[in-house]
Amino acid sequence: MPRLTRLTPDTAVGASRDLLADLASRHGHLGDMVSTMAHSPAVLGGYLQLSRAMGRAELDRRISERISMAVQVRQGCGLCLDAHVEAARALGVSEEEIARACAGTSADPAIAAIVSLALQVHREPASITGEQITALREYGYSDRAIADVVGVVALNVLTGSFNLLAGLTPGSDTDE
């Protein structure tokens, strides 16, 4: 059961009204998360900016979706996990690899290494070693792609934490 109410361009005020109106005009649909985030124009604006920025990440999207699934399993946001599983499927990630990502790994050692790094960024970033970064470079990851991991994790912490706070769960989206 949602704990916070949804807002619309008609019920939101100030910057949130403008952000929601822009989203509605471009996409025609406002999901529960953004409609509820509109209570805080700072949170909504920050989410939109980070989301757009991460859309320009160097990290392959099939890898970032695996990272997102691994983080969301640990964070416990079913709404986010469902969205990332569907996105991974749409990108051609196999069901076996989706299951591995949810378990925090991959059959591909390079992908397993970067997913592992992401989980460390999520739970204990102070434990990351220079050897881990060197190993990622040896797998072919650039410094930019390695840095992108922090952005992917941060975006997932923001969305998952918000959805959990707001009580948003799978199937709660009323705009269908």
Side-chain angles (χ1 to χ4, degrees), residues 58-59 114 136-137 139-148:
E58 180 180 291
L59 195 61
I114 203 145
L136 288 167
R137 288 184 187 123
Y139 280 125
Y141 293 107
S142 69
D143 287 359
R144 179 179 171 184
I146 294 167
D148 285 343

Side-chain angles (χ1 to χ4, degrees), residues 31-61:
D32 278 350
M33 186 181 73
V34 296
S35 296
T36 308
M37 274 185 178
H39 285 284
S40 170
V43 171
L44 178 57
Y47 160 72
L48 293 171
Q49 289 177 6
L50 183 55
S51 182
R52 286 183 195 121
M54 293 315 300
R56 296 184 299 273
E58 180 180 291
L59 195 61
D60 183 277
R61 185 116 184 272

